[in-house]
Amino acid sequence: MTQPVDPHLFVIFGGTGDLAKRKLIPSLYELLVDKKLTEQVAILGVGRRAMSDDDYRTLVRESLVASAVEPDEADRFCGGKLHYQSVGGEDGYADLAGRVKELDEFHGLDGNRILYLALSPSAAEEAIPRIGSSGLATSGDLTKVVVEKPFGYDLDSAQRLNEAIHQWFDEGHIYRIDHYLAKETVRNLLVFRFANALFERTWNRDFIESVEITVAEEHGVEGRESYYDEAGAVRDMVQNHLTQVMTVVAMEPPVDMEPESIRSEKVKVLKSMAPIVPSEVVFGQYTGSGDIPGYRDLEGIPDDSTTPTYIAMRVAIDNWRWQSVPFYLRTGKRMPKRTTIIFIRYRQPPVCLFHEECSGHRNLLLMTLQPDEGFGLYFDVKAPGDEIDIQRIPLSVRYEDHLGALTSDYSTLLHDLLESDQTLFVRADEVEASWERYAEMLETATVDPYPAGTWGPERGVELPLADGALWSEQELETS
């Protein structure tokens, strides 16, 4: 049984925001229920608006109940552990430091604190010096600081943010969070590859023809219009989520499973990326379809906005393992369904024995990260009968069938944070290398329209293969 970690004070900057209410505090509650968190934990929400502790507890209680927590349990959790402090006044951060000290003594937390910046990059850059000068960063090894993605808006802002945060915190106490890395299926990639010689021996250019990583979202951007029109798909998904998954797929075996060894191999993948060719990038923006409004129809979005809600791109990794193997990264909003997949397309047999055309004969590996997490390995068999009728069938596994319900990504990250495990968090050089690779893509030239509910613009659909919007959708369904 997992032992609960030491008592901590969670100081959540942006404590009244959507992330804190929908993800962070419910995940802390989940850890408490699973006995991975001591009952001694305390949470201090921080925001600009004036609010009493009771008002804040009411606000959070509604979110907990909405996430299926029983009302009585939500009351118990909020009443004993939840507090609020405004930093809207002139002495806001000095008052915050005093409140942190008071709660630390009241709850007996021994100085263990986590400063969670659930803020935009610009707000985080503004908050960090005030946190440092107020004395909140002075407890050394007992204080950790967490910064949400995106870490900066481009390379320059990421470097400024790194410089600001390094003035007050050592790298070993900085946790740049990307919740995609905490998905059990992403974490399992390391085990899938490095604990199974069958796959690792074929995980290279000699056997693999191409790799596709797709994050398709069924919803649009409603409720995040102001943020999204500044960010777009590159900042919101490509530079962080898609790239993080790609580095785990493409990395070399680390010398051990220590956090720094794994993170160093991921950085090597980024440094091996060839410059992205503009003709191999397709930007798209969804238009209205039926009752679904188009992106430019949303309140607050300019009529001439060129912010992409879709990207399909080809990435080349110029190293010994992956030379000449294209990686296709694709993400979009208002797709036909929500899915996150890694699709490995193996090379066809060197000789055609059963048909004049061998294009259909190849092994395929589909790894589903969400929903219905699991994987399927597809191979060809002969159907019963006198004729040679070749059919493709899967060896498939759904994790839930064998391992039960999976832990939520934020619960995983928060537990690793409490245990000072940085494996799933992004290092300074990694985030800067990632921004550097996508610098030229941040200025969008044109966006191709695509109707909501489709797999994207025609050019994006045709980018990897002439026959597939998603290989997992086309090849497997038509095989």
Side-chain angles (χ1 to χ4, degrees), residues 252 263-273 319:
E252 294 297 317
R263 299 203 295 179
S264 293
E265 295 302 334
K266 290 166 61 188
V267 172
K268 289 179 185 177
V269 174
L270 293 173
K271 291 184 176 180
S272 299
M273 281 179 63
N319 62 18

Side-chain angles (χ1 to χ4, degrees), residues 363-366 375-381 391-397 476 479:
N363 297 122
L364 306 167
L365 176 62
L366 173 64
F375 67 89
L377 177 63
Y378 291 77
F379 59 98
D380 291 335
V381 299
Q391 296 183 13
R392 181 177 288 155
I393 63 172
L395 285 173
S396 58
V397 173
L476 299 185
S479 60

Side-chain angles (χ1 to χ4, degrees), residues 121-281:
S122 57
E125 190 175 355
E126 177 185 338
I128 288 167
R130 303 183 70 182
I131 289 172
S133 60
S134 69
L136 287 170
T138 57
S139 59
D141 290 343
L142 301 178
T143 299
K144 302 163 189 170
V145 61
V146 186
V147 186
E148 267 286 343
K149 72 91 182 173
F151 191 88
Y153 281 108
D154 53 22
L155 178 59
D156 288 343
S157 60
Q159 289 173 333
R160 288 198 312 271
L161 194 52
N162 272 332
E163 183 179 350
I165 205 167
H166 283 145
Q167 289 182 6
W168 302 101
F169 298 93
D170 295 331
E171 183 64 27
H173 300 126
I174 303 169
Y175 293 74
R176 300 169 189 83
I177 198 166
D178 186 336
H179 69 271
Y180 254 65
L181 289 181
K183 294 185 182 299
E184 285 289 348
T185 39
V186 177
R187 301 174 76 199
N188 193 51
L189 270 172
L190 297 173
V191 177
F192 187 89
R193 287 187 55 190
F194 303 132
N196 296 290
L198 171 67
F199 291 105
E200 182 55 23
R201 289 177 182 175
T202 63
W203 208 261
N204 56 58
R205 59 189 171 89
D206 294 330
F207 294 91
I208 292 177
E209 183 176 274
S210 59
V211 179
E212 176 191 354
I213 302 172
T214 292
V215 179
E217 299 180 281
E218 197 170 6
H219 60 75
V221 300
E222 289 80 356
R224 297 199 306 158
E225 289 87 350
S226 59
Y227 158 76
Y228 197 89
D229 205 51
E230 290 184 7
V234 179
R235 293 179 174 92
D236 190 53
M237 294 296 295
V238 175
Q239 182 271 335
N240 35 73
H241 296 336
L242 279 165
T243 300
Q244 287 299 319
V245 174
M246 181 188 72
T247 60
V248 176
V249 172
M251 64 183 277
E252 294 297 317
V255 295
D256 52 42
M257 295 307 291
E258 293 299 313
E260 288 310 303
S261 300
I262 294 172
R263 299 203 295 179
S264 293
E265 295 302 334
K266 290 166 61 188
V267 172
K268 289 179 185 177
V269 174
L270 293 173
K271 291 184 176 180
S272 299
M273 281 179 63
I276 296 170
V277 179
S279 62
E280 295 178 336
V281 180

Side-chain angles (χ1 to χ4, degrees), residues 299-318:
E299 185 176 353
I301 302 298
D303 293 339
D304 59 352
S305 173
T306 59
T307 297
T309 61
Y310 169 98
I311 293 177
M313 58 187 296
R314 181 185 185 277
V315 172
I317 300 176
D318 287 342

Side-chain angles (χ1 to χ4, degrees), residues 65-76:
V65 171
S67 64
V69 177
E70 290 295 327
D72 289 347
E73 287 298 306
D75 288 337
R76 186 183 70 83

Side-chain angles (χ1 to χ4, degrees), residues 10 114 144 146 175 413-420 425:
F10 273 83
I114 292 172
K144 302 163 189 170
V146 186
Y175 293 74
L413 286 171
L414 292 176
H415 189 254
D416 286 355
L417 173 62
L418 288 162
E419 293 198 319
S420 303
F425 296 84

Side-chain angles (χ1 to χ4, degrees), residues 464-477:
L465 293 172
D467 65 345
L470 290 173
W471 295 330
S472 56
E473 296 298 321
Q474 297 290 326
E475 277 195 90
L476 299 185
E477 289 181 3

